PDB file of all heavy atoms in Angstrom:
ATOM      1  N   MET A   1      -5.444 141.502  83.449  1.00 46.00           N
ATOM      2  CA  MET A   1      -5.071 140.885  84.729  1.00 46.00           C
ATOM      3  C   MET A   1      -3.822 140.044  84.529  1.00 46.00           C
ATOM      4  O   MET A   1      -3.715 139.280  83.568  1.00 46.00           O
ATOM      5  CB  MET A   1      -6.221 140.004  85.239  1.00 46.00           C
ATOM      6  CG  MET A   1      -5.904 139.361  86.594  1.00 46.00           C
ATOM      7  SD  MET A   1      -7.339 138.437  87.219  1.00 46.00           S
ATOM      8  CE  MET A   1      -7.417 137.131  85.997  1.00 46.00           C
ATOM      9  N   THR A   2      -2.914 140.190  85.433  1.00 48.00           N
ATOM     10  CA  THR A   2      -1.649 139.462  85.335  1.00 48.00           C
ATOM     11  C   THR A   2      -1.737 138.183  86.140  1.00 48.00           C
ATOM     12  O   THR A   2      -2.169 138.193  87.290  1.00 48.00           O
ATOM     13  CB  THR A   2      -0.490 140.322  85.860  1.00 48.00           C
ATOM     14  OG1 THR A   2      -0.457 141.539  85.140  1.00 48.00           O
ATOM     15  CG2 THR A   2       0.816 139.583  85.688  1.00 48.00           C
ATOM     16  N   THR A   3      -1.364 137.106  85.539  1.00 49.00           N
ATOM     17  CA  THR A   3      -1.406 135.809  86.204  1.00 49.00           C
ATOM     18  C   THR A   3      -0.017 135.437  86.657  1.00 49.00           C
ATOM     19  O   THR A   3       0.916 135.388  85.840  1.00 49.00           O
ATOM     20  CB  THR A   3      -1.948 134.711  85.268  1.00 49.00           C
ATOM     21  OG1 THR A   3      -3.233 135.114  84.809  1.00 49.00           O
ATOM     22  CG2 THR A   3      -2.037 133.381  85.986  1.00 49.00           C
ATOM     23  N   ASP A   4       0.168 135.228  87.949  1.00 51.00           N
ATOM     24  CA  ASP A   4       1.462 134.835  88.499  1.00 51.00           C
ATOM     25  C   ASP A   4       1.557 133.326  88.542  1.00 51.00           C
ATOM     26  O   ASP A   4       0.669 132.649  89.088  1.00 51.00           O
ATOM     27  CB  ASP A   4       1.633 135.399  89.907  1.00 51.00           C
ATOM     28  CG  ASP A   4       1.702 136.920  89.898  1.00 51.00           C
ATOM     29  OD1 ASP A   4       2.189 137.457  88.879  1.00 51.00           O
ATOM     30  OD2 ASP A   4       1.256 137.528  90.893  1.00 51.00           O
ATOM     31  N   LEU A   5       2.601 132.804  87.968  1.00 48.00           N
ATOM     32  CA  LEU A   5       2.828 131.357  87.979  1.00 48.00           C
ATOM     33  C   LEU A   5       3.841 131.030  89.055  1.00 48.00           C
ATOM     34  O   LEU A   5       4.916 131.641  89.115  1.00 48.00           O
ATOM     35  CB  LEU A   5       3.356 130.879  86.622  1.00 48.00           C
ATOM     36  CG  LEU A   5       2.381 131.010  85.433  1.00 48.00           C
ATOM     37  CD1 LEU A   5       3.070 130.561  84.172  1.00 48.00           C
ATOM     38  CD2 LEU A   5       1.106 130.208  85.684  1.00 48.00           C
ATOM     39  N   SER A   6       3.489 130.114  89.891  1.00 48.00           N
ATOM     40  CA  SER A   6       4.436 129.677  90.920  1.00 48.00           C
ATOM     41  C   SER A   6       5.523 128.839  90.280  1.00 48.00           C
ATOM     42  O   SER A   6       5.400 128.396  89.143  1.00 48.00           O
ATOM     43  CB  SER A   6       3.701 128.859  91.990  1.00 48.00           C
ATOM     44  OG  SER A   6       3.197 127.665  91.432  1.00 48.00           O
ATOM     45  N   SER A   7       6.569 128.600  91.035  1.00 46.00           N
ATOM     46  CA  SER A   7       7.670 127.787  90.519  1.00 46.00           C
ATOM     47  C   SER A   7       7.223 126.371  90.230  1.00 46.00           C
ATOM     48  O   SER A   7       7.788 125.687  89.378  1.00 46.00           O
ATOM     49  CB  SER A   7       8.828 127.788  91.524  1.00 46.00           C
ATOM     50  OG  SER A   7       8.377 127.266  92.766  1.00 46.00           O
ATOM     51  N   GLU A   8       6.187 125.910  90.917  1.00 46.00           N
ATOM     52  CA  GLU A   8       5.713 124.554  90.680  1.00 46.00           C
ATOM     53  C   GLU A   8       4.969 124.462  89.360  1.00 46.00           C
ATOM     54  O   GLU A   8       4.936 123.428  88.707  1.00 46.00           O
ATOM     55  CB  GLU A   8       4.800 124.106  91.831  1.00 46.00           C
ATOM     56  CG  GLU A   8       5.516 124.011  93.167  1.00 46.00           C
ATOM     57  CD  GLU A   8       4.569 123.585  94.277  1.00 46.00           C
ATOM     58  OE1 GLU A   8       3.358 123.461  93.999  1.00 46.00           O
ATOM     59  OE2 GLU A   8       5.039 123.372  95.408  1.00 46.00           O
ATOM     60  N   ASP A   9       4.260 125.597  88.970  1.00 47.00           N
ATOM     61  CA  ASP A   9       3.479 125.578  87.734  1.00 47.00           C
ATOM     62  C   ASP A   9       4.319 125.898  86.508  1.00 47.00           C
ATOM     63  O   ASP A   9       3.925 125.622  85.377  1.00 47.00           O
ATOM     64  CB  ASP A   9       2.345 126.604  87.830  1.00 47.00           C
ATOM     65  CG  ASP A   9       1.379 126.251  88.949  1.00 47.00           C
ATOM     66  OD1 ASP A   9       1.211 125.040  89.187  1.00 47.00           O
ATOM     67  OD2 ASP A   9       0.823 127.176  89.566  1.00 47.00           O
ATOM     68  N   ALA A  10       5.495 126.528  86.728  1.00 47.00           N
ATOM     69  CA  ALA A  10       6.330 126.916  85.590  1.00 47.00           C
ATOM     70  C   ALA A  10       6.888 125.689  84.904  1.00 47.00           C
ATOM     71  O   ALA A  10       7.233 124.707  85.535  1.00 47.00           O
ATOM     72  CB  ALA A  10       7.480 127.819  86.063  1.00 47.00           C
ATOM     73  N   VAL A  11       6.962 125.774  83.612  1.00 48.00           N
ATOM     74  CA  VAL A  11       7.489 124.669  82.822  1.00 48.00           C
ATOM     75  C   VAL A  11       8.931 124.988  82.446  1.00 48.00           C
ATOM     76  O   VAL A  11       9.203 126.040  81.852  1.00 48.00           O
ATOM     77  CB  VAL A  11       6.647 124.438  81.543  1.00 48.00           C
ATOM     78  CG1 VAL A  11       7.264 123.316  80.716  1.00 48.00           C
ATOM     79  CG2 VAL A  11       5.211 124.126  81.914  1.00 48.00           C
ATOM     80  N   THR A  12       9.820 124.122  82.814  1.00 48.00           N
ATOM     81  CA  THR A  12      11.234 124.321  82.507  1.00 48.00           C
ATOM     82  C   THR A  12      11.542 123.755  81.136  1.00 48.00           C
ATOM     83  O   THR A  12      11.321 122.566  80.887  1.00 48.00           O
ATOM     84  CB  THR A  12      12.123 123.632  83.554  1.00 48.00           C
ATOM     85  OG1 THR A  12      11.807 124.167  84.833  1.00 48.00           O
ATOM     86  CG2 THR A  12      13.592 123.877  83.238  1.00 48.00           C
ATOM     87  N   VAL A  13      12.012 124.599  80.256  1.00 46.00           N
ATOM     88  CA  VAL A  13      12.341 124.172  78.897  1.00 46.00           C
ATOM     89  C   VAL A  13      13.838 123.935  78.815  1.00 46.00           C
ATOM     90  O   VAL A  13      14.626 124.853  79.061  1.00 46.00           O
ATOM     91  CB  VAL A  13      11.918 125.230  77.863  1.00 46.00           C
ATOM     92  CG1 VAL A  13      12.284 124.774  76.454  1.00 46.00           C
ATOM     93  CG2 VAL A  13      10.433 125.510  77.970  1.00 46.00           C
ATOM     94  N   PRO A  14      14.251 122.724  78.503  1.00 48.00           N
ATOM     95  CA  PRO A  14      15.682 122.454  78.429  1.00 48.00           C
ATOM     96  C   PRO A  14      16.315 123.239  77.305  1.00 48.00           C
ATOM     97  O   PRO A  14      15.697 123.463  76.261  1.00 48.00           O
ATOM     98  CB  PRO A  14      15.745 120.939  78.154  1.00 48.00           C
ATOM     99  CG  PRO A  14      14.427 120.619  77.514  1.00 48.00           C
ATOM    100  CD  PRO A  14      13.438 121.535  78.151  1.00 48.00           C
ATOM    101  N   PRO A  15      17.538 123.696  77.488  1.00 49.00           N
ATOM    102  CA  PRO A  15      18.211 124.457  76.437  1.00 49.00           C
ATOM    103  C   PRO A  15      18.450 123.596  75.210  1.00 49.00           C
ATOM    104  O   PRO A  15      18.703 122.403  75.318  1.00 49.00           O
ATOM    105  CB  PRO A  15      19.539 124.875  77.092  1.00 49.00           C
ATOM    106  CG  PRO A  15      19.769 123.856  78.170  1.00 49.00           C
ATOM    107  CD  PRO A  15      18.409 123.484  78.678  1.00 49.00           C
ATOM    108  N   ALA A  16      18.329 124.223  74.059  1.00 49.00           N
ATOM    109  CA  ALA A  16      18.529 123.488  72.809  1.00 49.00           C
ATOM    110  C   ALA A  16      20.004 123.188  72.601  1.00 49.00           C
ATOM    111  O   ALA A  16      20.876 123.987  72.968  1.00 49.00           O
ATOM    112  CB  ALA A  16      17.993 124.305  71.638  1.00 49.00           C
TER     113      ALA A  16
END
Side-chain angles (χ1 to χ4, degrees):
M1 182 176 67
T2 303
T3 303
D4 294 330
L5 294 177
S6 65
S7 59
E8 296 179 355
D9 297 328
V11 178
T12 302
V13 179

